[in-house]
Amino acid sequence: MQPLPRQFFLQDTITVSRALLGKHLVREINGQRLVCRITETEAYIAASDKACHAYNYKRTPRTESMFALGGTAYIYLIYGMYTCLNLVTEPEGEPCAVLIRSAEPVEGGDLIARNRFGCNMADMTAYQKKNFLNGPGKLCKGLSITRQENGLDLTAGRALYITEGDLVDRIQVGKRIGIDYAEEARDFLWRFWI
DNA sequence: TTCAGGATGTACT
DNA sequence: GTACATCCTGAAC
């Protein structure tokens, strides 16, 4: 399966956020292929969004990769111990991105389970199954995504990329999570899930 | 099943 | 020094 092309990521951020639902996120590491289906996303848009790290085009070492053109990975450390994966959107110089909040395994499930819990999928408890990849930090842990992948080109078809997945028809919309500090932006309906 | 609290380090004031 | 696009544990119910 081919990686989605540059053009996909250069679209409007909300459009990309919705379009990413059902797509497959592919992680290649140590010659292994880990694939999961994206089920929840959030949009972050520099120009209008106080919750965006690059709000008002604020450029810092951390936000640098958000300024790259669409199709770049923006990965940062949160709360001192977890990483979050974002896919940069829009043309170069527009620091916008989509946070991948949750997913479900499609291929390489045992390897993902080992990254998460140190056991195969069949040995996971009911609680672990329910909390497998349903959060941005959990997803990165399961797919072995770290800040080393920050700035990576998602269209090159190596290490990390997106492919066509499943068609999706009932998209849910709501407020974003964990950004109560962001004044009016906390009420933007920029979270999408299946 | 829900809830409070702590872990932990980087970015930015 | 403070806040943070989170997650896990343990206790109460």
Side-chain angles (χ1 to χ4, degrees), chain A residues 2-3 28 153-161:
Chain A
Q2 290 290 101
E28 292 186 357
D153 180 0
L154 298 167
T155 65
R158 285 193 293 272
L160 195 60
Y161 55 97

Side-chain angles (χ1 to χ4, degrees), chain A residues 30-148:
Chain A
N30 300 330
Q32 317 264 24
R33 233 171 95 85
L34 311 179
V35 183
C36 59
R37 176 172 173 267
I38 296 170
T39 55
E40 186 177 2
T41 62
E42 281 180 3
Y44 287 86
I45 298 176
S48 55
D49 177 11
K50 286 179 181 156
C52 180
H53 291 161
Y55 173 60
N56 220 2
Y57 298 85
K58 187 163 70 170
R59 196 161 193 153
T60 68
R62 179 176 62 162
T63 62
E64 189 60 33
S65 57
M66 283 188 87
F67 285 81
L69 79 169
T72 302
Y74 169 51
I75 300 167
Y76 64 91
L77 184 72
I78 188 67
Y79 296 113
M81 33 168 66
Y82 299 105
T83 51
C84 293
L85 168 66
N86 297 250
L87 313 183
V88 176
T89 57
E90 313 217 10
E92 184 168 5
E94 280 298 327
C96 305
V98 178
L99 171 68
I100 309 300
R101 281 200 66 87
S102 72
E104 48 195 38
V106 170
E107 188 182 320
D110 280 336
L111 292 169
I112 301 174
R114 278 203 276 275
N115 290 334
R116 273 287 277 140
F117 305 117
C119 66
N120 287 334
M121 265 205 297
D123 298 321
M124 285 162 55
T125 65
Y127 185 79
Q128 287 173 327
K129 282 178 188 147
K130 195 176 161 195
N131 296 285
F132 196 11
L133 301 174
N134 63 338
K138 303 173 194 177
L139 179 68
C140 287
K141 180 134 196 285
L143 298 185
S144 278
I145 293 169
T146 69
R147 278 174 297 165
Q148 289 210 321

Side-chain angles (χ1 to χ4, degrees), chain A residues 4-20:
Chain A
L4 292 187
R6 181 75 59 195
Q7 200 58 38
F8 175 82
F9 298 99
L10 295 179
Q11 301 175 88
D12 163 79
T13 305
I14 302 289
T15 303
V16 177
S17 298
R18 301 177 65 103
L20 277 170

